Amino acid sequence: MRNLFSLPALLLIILVSGCATTPKEPELSLELRQTLWETRYKELQQMNHWQLMGRLGLRVPDQSGSMSVEWLQNQQDFTVYLDGPLGQSLAKIESNDHGIMVEADGKRYQGHTPEALLYDLTGWQLPVSYLRFWIQGVPVPGIQETSMQLDNEGQLSHLKQAGWTIEYLEYQSQPPVSLPGRIRVEKDDIQMTLVARRWQVK
């Protein structure tokens, strides 16, 4: 007589049963998620000095590529280093009270806003000033056209601001508060994907 309950069959039954009975995490109420978000937002507002090292993928009309990125934030000022695949320096973007400065191809360019200067240099409308907030996982203050969705941890999962759509695909534990590990920023035919390799909060 053939043994219907052979070892492979038993293992299959156990695996299927385990998958079928794994409880799904209950979705928290909107009120509770909002409460978690308010606590989280207060903690993130105090994070004014930080360093992010990661990878930036950029897709614009007729072009796409990826580069290493190092972002240094100090209160309102920031410095961004962009490097190519072999570590060669592509650009340095520096913003402070005196305006914005870009170093690329051995030349220096200055302007009043990152968006205006980069548009003059590349023809692309990139939301550089907004990225400081989106990278942290918070909306840009003072923008009325804002809609957001929260996950069960009270973290942003989806954000729309000023015509841009930001998807939070992954978070990293960074006590006392988790920080985005992978985000995607899109508008029309421009898409940016940022993957964080290392956060350092000062």
Side-chain angles (χ1 to χ4, degrees):
M1 181 176 177
R2 187 177 179 184
N3 184 6
L4 297 178
F5 293 98
S6 61
L7 181 58
L10 285 173
L11 289 175
L12 181 59
I13 292 172
I14 292 171
L15 288 173
V16 172
S17 300
C19 293
T21 58
T22 300
K24 185 179 179 181
E25 183 181 359
E27 187 170 321
L28 298 182
S29 67
L30 181 60
E31 291 78 12
L32 185 52
R33 278 180 282 164
Q34 184 65 33
T35 300
L36 292 173
W37 162 252
E38 290 172 1
T39 300
R40 171 181 172 78
Y41 184 66
K42 290 178 182 178
E43 293 175 335
L44 290 172
Q45 280 185 309
Q46 300 175 11
M47 197 179 90
N48 295 316
H49 303 269
W50 49 266
Q51 177 185 20
L52 169 68
M53 300 185 69
R55 195 88 186 155
L56 176 66
L58 178 62
R59 190 180 71 193
V60 296
D62 302 322
Q63 295 186 52
S64 64
S66 64
M67 62 203 82
S68 296
V69 58
E70 180 180 4
W71 189 302
L72 304 170
Q73 187 75 38
N74 181 15
Q75 296 289 352
Q76 303 300 320
D77 301 339
F78 66 80
T79 303
V80 179
Y81 298 93
L82 300 174
D83 296 325
L86 300 179
Q88 72 271 28
S89 177
L90 297 179
K92 175 185 175 183
I93 305 170
E94 192 170 7
S95 178
N96 53 42
D97 293 340
H98 302 292
I100 178 75
M101 184 272 293
V102 173
E103 291 183 10
D105 298 325
K107 299 179 181 178
R108 294 166 61 96
Y109 308 89
Q110 289 186 305
H112 296 293
T113 68
E115 288 76 16
L117 181 55
L118 289 177
Y119 182 77
D120 289 341
L121 294 176
T122 66
W124 307 330
Q125 293 182 334
L126 303 177
V128 181
S129 300
Y130 294 168
L131 284 176
R132 171 216 165 171
F133 300 94
W134 295 343
I135 287 173
Q136 288 183 256
V138 297
V140 181
I143 296 182
Q144 293 184 348
E145 297 179 21
T146 298
S147 67
M148 48 188 279
Q149 296 177 10
L150 304 174
D151 63 15
N152 256 9
E153 305 296 324
Q155 304 166 147
L156 277 179
S157 61
H158 183 91
L159 175 66
K160 283 190 175 183
Q161 280 199 304
W164 291 90
T165 298
I166 305 94
E167 297 282 352
Y168 290 87
L169 307 172
E170 181 183 317
Y171 278 87
Q172 296 178 359
S173 177
Q174 185 71 38
V177 62
S178 60
L179 294 169
R182 186 160 62 102
I183 69 172
R184 183 168 58 233
V185 180
E186 293 179 299
K187 182 180 181 181
D188 299 329
D189 49 6
I190 294 178
Q191 182 184 99
M192 293 178 285
T193 302
L194 178 65
V195 178
R197 290 179 178 170
R198 182 168 66 88
W199 277 97
Q200 183 175 352
V201 181
K202 301 177 181 180

